[in-house]
mmCIF file of all heavy atoms in Angstrom:
data_model
loop_
_atom_site.group_PDB
_atom_site.id
_atom_site.type_symbol
_atom_site.label_atom_id
_atom_site.label_comp_id
_atom_site.label_asym_id
_atom_site.label_seq_id
_atom_site.Cartn_x
_atom_site.Cartn_y
_atom_site.Cartn_z
ATOM 1 N N GLN S 57 18.568 21.675 3.269
ATOM 2 C CA GLN S 57 19.300 21.264 2.096
ATOM 3 C C GLN S 57 20.737 21.859 2.089
ATOM 4 O O GLN S 57 21.677 21.191 1.669
ATOM 5 C CB GLN S 57 18.583 21.775 0.841
ATOM 6 C CG GLN S 57 19.197 21.311 -0.491
ATOM 7 C CD GLN S 57 19.049 19.857 -0.754
ATOM 8 O OE1 GLN S 57 18.927 19.029 0.146
ATOM 9 N NE2 GLN S 57 19.053 19.452 -2.019
ATOM 10 N N ARG S 58 20.877 23.026 2.623
ATOM 11 C CA ARG S 58 22.201 23.643 2.718
ATOM 12 C C ARG S 58 23.120 22.790 3.577
ATOM 13 O O ARG S 58 24.279 22.492 3.254
ATOM 14 C CB ARG S 58 22.183 25.044 3.261
ATOM 15 C CG ARG S 58 23.437 25.809 3.194
ATOM 16 C CD ARG S 58 23.416 27.165 3.890
ATOM 17 N NE ARG S 58 23.281 27.041 5.349
ATOM 18 C CZ ARG S 58 24.354 27.001 6.090
ATOM 19 N NH1 ARG S 58 25.565 27.002 5.647
ATOM 20 N NH2 ARG S 58 24.193 26.855 7.404
ATOM 21 N N LYS S 59 22.609 22.394 4.749
ATOM 22 C CA LYS S 59 23.394 21.520 5.667
ATOM 23 C C LYS S 59 23.729 20.222 5.009
ATOM 24 O O LYS S 59 24.844 19.648 5.192
ATOM 25 C CB LYS S 59 22.635 21.350 6.946
ATOM 26 C CG LYS S 59 22.600 22.614 7.859
ATOM 27 C CD LYS S 59 21.872 22.354 9.126
ATOM 28 C CE LYS S 59 21.927 23.572 10.048
ATOM 29 N NZ LYS S 59 23.281 23.793 10.573
ATOM 30 N N ARG S 60 22.729 19.614 4.292
ATOM 31 C CA ARG S 60 23.021 18.354 3.611
ATOM 32 C C ARG S 60 24.086 18.494 2.521
ATOM 33 O O ARG S 60 24.933 17.609 2.355
ATOM 34 C CB ARG S 60 21.700 17.777 3.041
ATOM 35 C CG ARG S 60 20.942 17.030 4.077
ATOM 36 C CD ARG S 60 20.029 15.939 3.428
ATOM 37 N NE ARG S 60 19.884 14.842 4.314
ATOM 38 C CZ ARG S 60 19.078 13.798 4.051
ATOM 39 N NH1 ARG S 60 18.324 13.829 2.984
ATOM 40 N NH2 ARG S 60 18.994 12.783 4.890
ATOM 41 N N ARG S 61 24.053 19.586 1.831
ATOM 42 C CA ARG S 61 25.069 19.818 0.798
ATOM 43 C C ARG S 61 26.451 19.955 1.425
ATOM 44 O O ARG S 61 27.397 19.359 0.916
ATOM 45 C CB ARG S 61 24.729 21.097 0.033
ATOM 46 C CG ARG S 61 23.593 20.952 -0.923
ATOM 47 C CD ARG S 61 23.240 22.334 -1.497
ATOM 48 N NE ARG S 61 22.239 22.195 -2.603
ATOM 49 C CZ ARG S 61 21.525 23.164 -3.107
ATOM 50 N NH1 ARG S 61 21.660 24.382 -2.625
ATOM 51 N NH2 ARG S 61 20.699 22.906 -4.106
ATOM 52 N N LEU S 62 26.532 20.627 2.572
ATOM 53 C CA LEU S 62 27.819 20.791 3.233
ATOM 54 C C LEU S 62 28.350 19.462 3.799
ATOM 55 O O LEU S 62 29.544 19.173 3.707
ATOM 56 C CB LEU S 62 27.731 21.817 4.293
ATOM 57 C CG LEU S 62 27.571 23.284 3.808
ATOM 58 C CD1 LEU S 62 27.144 24.255 4.931
ATOM 59 C CD2 LEU S 62 28.880 23.750 3.193
ATOM 60 N N ARG S 63 27.406 18.652 4.335
ATOM 61 C CA ARG S 63 27.875 17.357 4.880
ATOM 62 C C ARG S 63 28.268 16.437 3.748
ATOM 63 O O ARG S 63 29.240 15.621 3.886
ATOM 64 C CB ARG S 63 26.776 16.738 5.734
ATOM 65 C CG ARG S 63 26.613 17.444 7.075
ATOM 66 C CD ARG S 63 25.812 16.586 8.061
ATOM 67 N NE ARG S 63 24.442 16.351 7.603
ATOM 68 C CZ ARG S 63 23.434 17.134 7.947
ATOM 69 N NH1 ARG S 63 23.589 18.234 8.649
ATOM 70 N NH2 ARG S 63 22.174 16.846 7.497
ATOM 71 N N ARG S 64 27.598 16.500 2.589
ATOM 72 C CA ARG S 64 28.003 15.709 1.417
ATOM 73 C C ARG S 64 29.402 16.156 0.946
ATOM 74 O O ARG S 64 30.263 15.312 0.655
ATOM 75 C CB ARG S 64 27.018 15.857 0.277
ATOM 76 C CG ARG S 64 27.433 15.223 -1.040
ATOM 77 C CD ARG S 64 27.532 13.717 -0.995
ATOM 78 N NE ARG S 64 26.230 13.112 -0.781
ATOM 79 C CZ ARG S 64 25.338 12.875 -1.691
ATOM 80 N NH1 ARG S 64 25.578 13.214 -2.976
ATOM 81 N NH2 ARG S 64 24.203 12.295 -1.406
ATOM 82 N N ALA S 65 29.646 17.481 0.973
ATOM 83 C CA ALA S 65 30.972 17.981 0.577
ATOM 84 C C ALA S 65 32.011 17.534 1.601
ATOM 85 O O ALA S 65 33.107 17.087 1.161
ATOM 86 C CB ALA S 65 30.908 19.517 0.504
ATOM 87 N N ALA S 66 31.704 17.526 2.877
ATOM 88 C CA ALA S 66 32.650 17.123 3.866
ATOM 89 C C ALA S 66 32.975 15.618 3.672
ATOM 90 O O ALA S 66 34.117 15.180 3.806
ATOM 91 C CB ALA S 66 32.038 17.327 5.307
ATOM 92 N N HIS S 67 31.992 14.842 3.354
ATOM 93 C CA HIS S 67 32.150 13.420 3.074
ATOM 94 C C HIS S 67 33.105 13.197 1.901
ATOM 95 O O HIS S 67 34.044 12.417 1.962
ATOM 96 C CB HIS S 67 30.777 12.845 2.739
ATOM 97 C CG HIS S 67 30.531 11.467 3.261
ATOM 98 N ND1 HIS S 67 30.277 11.188 4.603
ATOM 99 C CD2 HIS S 67 30.481 10.284 2.624
ATOM 100 C CE1 HIS S 67 30.136 9.875 4.706
ATOM 101 N NE2 HIS S 67 30.274 9.301 3.547
ATOM 102 N N LEU S 68 32.845 13.929 0.812
ATOM 103 C CA LEU S 68 33.697 13.788 -0.365
ATOM 104 C C LEU S 68 35.092 14.241 -0.163
ATOM 105 O O LEU S 68 36.071 13.674 -0.694
ATOM 106 C CB LEU S 68 33.036 14.580 -1.550
ATOM 107 C CG LEU S 68 31.682 14.026 -2.026
ATOM 108 C CD1 LEU S 68 31.074 14.995 -3.030
ATOM 109 C CD2 LEU S 68 31.850 12.660 -2.658
ATOM 110 N N LEU S 69 35.268 15.306 0.602
ATOM 111 C CA LEU S 69 36.605 15.815 0.864
ATOM 112 C C LEU S 69 37.413 14.825 1.667
ATOM 113 O O LEU S 69 38.671 14.664 1.418
ATOM 114 C CB LEU S 69 36.572 17.132 1.695
ATOM 115 C CG LEU S 69 36.096 18.359 0.932
ATOM 116 C CD1 LEU S 69 35.689 19.496 1.884
ATOM 117 C CD2 LEU S 69 37.212 18.860 -0.017
ATOM 118 N N ARG S 70 36.776 14.065 2.514
ATOM 119 C CA ARG S 70 37.504 13.028 3.253
ATOM 120 C C ARG S 70 37.794 11.817 2.373
ATOM 121 O O ARG S 70 38.935 11.270 2.382
ATOM 122 C CB ARG S 70 36.719 12.626 4.483
ATOM 123 C CG ARG S 70 37.435 11.458 5.212
ATOM 124 C CD ARG S 70 36.642 10.875 6.391
ATOM 125 N NE ARG S 70 37.389 9.738 6.968
ATOM 126 C CZ ARG S 70 36.870 8.996 7.932
ATOM 127 N NH1 ARG S 70 35.704 9.187 8.432
ATOM 128 N NH2 ARG S 70 37.615 7.946 8.358
ATOM 129 N N HIS S 71 36.812 11.350 1.612
ATOM 130 C CA HIS S 71 36.889 10.050 0.944
ATOM 131 C C HIS S 71 37.299 10.158 -0.492
ATOM 132 O O HIS S 71 37.524 9.056 -1.132
ATOM 133 C CB HIS S 71 35.599 9.255 1.134
ATOM 134 C CG HIS S 71 35.278 8.982 2.538
ATOM 135 N ND1 HIS S 71 35.975 8.038 3.260
ATOM 136 C CD2 HIS S 71 34.315 9.480 3.395
ATOM 137 C CE1 HIS S 71 35.481 7.955 4.536
ATOM 138 N NE2 HIS S 71 34.452 8.817 4.605
ATOM 139 N N GLU S 72 37.300 11.336 -1.062
ATOM 140 C CA GLU S 72 37.709 11.478 -2.487
ATOM 141 C C GLU S 72 38.895 12.431 -2.594
ATOM 142 O O GLU S 72 38.730 13.558 -3.109
ATOM 143 C CB GLU S 72 36.486 11.959 -3.329
ATOM 144 C CG GLU S 72 35.249 11.088 -3.258
ATOM 145 C CD GLU S 72 35.363 9.899 -4.150
ATOM 146 O OE1 GLU S 72 36.375 9.761 -4.869
ATOM 147 O OE2 GLU S 72 34.400 9.062 -4.216
ATOM 148 N N PRO S 73 40.055 12.033 -2.099
ATOM 149 C CA PRO S 73 41.179 12.975 -2.008
ATOM 150 C C PRO S 73 41.700 13.452 -3.345
ATOM 151 O O PRO S 73 42.394 14.491 -3.422
ATOM 152 C CB PRO S 73 42.226 12.199 -1.266
ATOM 153 C CG PRO S 73 41.869 10.776 -1.490
ATOM 154 C CD PRO S 73 40.383 10.731 -1.534
ATOM 155 N N ASP S 74 41.378 12.718 -4.429
ATOM 156 C CA ASP S 74 41.859 13.130 -5.771
ATOM 157 C C ASP S 74 40.938 14.017 -6.513
ATOM 158 O O ASP S 74 41.222 14.443 -7.619
ATOM 159 C CB ASP S 74 42.200 11.877 -6.586
ATOM 160 C CG ASP S 74 40.976 10.920 -6.653
ATOM 161 O OD1 ASP S 74 40.115 10.991 -5.779
ATOM 162 O OD2 ASP S 74 40.976 10.079 -7.570
ATOM 163 N N VAL S 75 39.787 14.341 -5.927
ATOM 164 C CA VAL S 75 38.830 15.243 -6.590
ATOM 165 C C VAL S 75 39.082 16.689 -6.095
ATOM 166 O O VAL S 75 39.117 16.927 -4.857
ATOM 167 C CB VAL S 75 37.383 14.819 -6.278
ATOM 168 C CG1 VAL S 75 36.408 15.766 -6.923
ATOM 169 C CG2 VAL S 75 37.154 13.398 -6.786
ATOM 170 N N ALA S 76 39.218 17.611 -7.012
ATOM 171 C CA ALA S 76 39.487 18.995 -6.665
ATOM 172 C C ALA S 76 38.375 19.608 -5.825
ATOM 173 O O ALA S 76 37.199 19.263 -5.993
ATOM 174 C CB ALA S 76 39.728 19.797 -7.916
ATOM 175 N N VAL S 77 38.728 20.536 -4.943
ATOM 176 C CA VAL S 77 37.743 21.144 -4.063
ATOM 177 C C VAL S 77 36.666 21.902 -4.887
ATOM 178 O O VAL S 77 35.497 21.831 -4.546
ATOM 179 C CB VAL S 77 38.414 22.146 -3.093
ATOM 180 C CG1 VAL S 77 37.388 22.934 -2.274
ATOM 181 C CG2 VAL S 77 39.337 21.385 -2.112
ATOM 182 N N PHE S 78 37.077 22.624 -5.967
ATOM 183 C CA PHE S 78 36.123 23.340 -6.736
ATOM 184 C C PHE S 78 35.128 22.413 -7.401
ATOM 185 O O PHE S 78 33.916 22.762 -7.570
ATOM 186 C CB PHE S 78 36.780 24.196 -7.775
ATOM 187 C CG PHE S 78 37.290 23.515 -8.994
ATOM 188 C CD1 PHE S 78 36.474 23.307 -10.098
ATOM 189 C CD2 PHE S 78 38.597 23.030 -9.036
ATOM 190 C CE1 PHE S 78 36.975 22.620 -11.243
ATOM 191 C CE2 PHE S 78 39.074 22.323 -10.179
ATOM 192 C CZ PHE S 78 38.252 22.173 -11.256
ATOM 193 N N ARG S 79 35.542 21.184 -7.783
ATOM 194 C CA ARG S 79 34.644 20.247 -8.393
ATOM 195 C C ARG S 79 33.618 19.727 -7.338
ATOM 196 O O ARG S 79 32.402 19.571 -7.669
ATOM 197 C CB ARG S 79 35.448 19.057 -8.966
ATOM 198 C CG ARG S 79 34.542 17.942 -9.523
ATOM 199 C CD ARG S 79 33.692 18.388 -10.662
ATOM 200 N NE ARG S 79 32.825 17.306 -11.143
ATOM 201 C CZ ARG S 79 33.227 16.394 -12.056
ATOM 202 N NH1 ARG S 79 34.462 16.452 -12.578
ATOM 203 N NH2 ARG S 79 32.373 15.468 -12.474
#
Side-chain angles (χ1 to χ4, degrees):
Q57 184 72 333
R58 186 184 74 86
K59 287 179 175 293
R60 277 205 146 172
R61 285 173 172 166
L62 288 167
R63 288 197 296 269
R64 172 67 64 81
H67 217 74
L68 293 171
L69 287 164
R70 177 185 175 185
H71 297 290
E72 302 280 358
D74 53 339
V75 179
V77 173
F78 78 87
R79 175 62 183 274

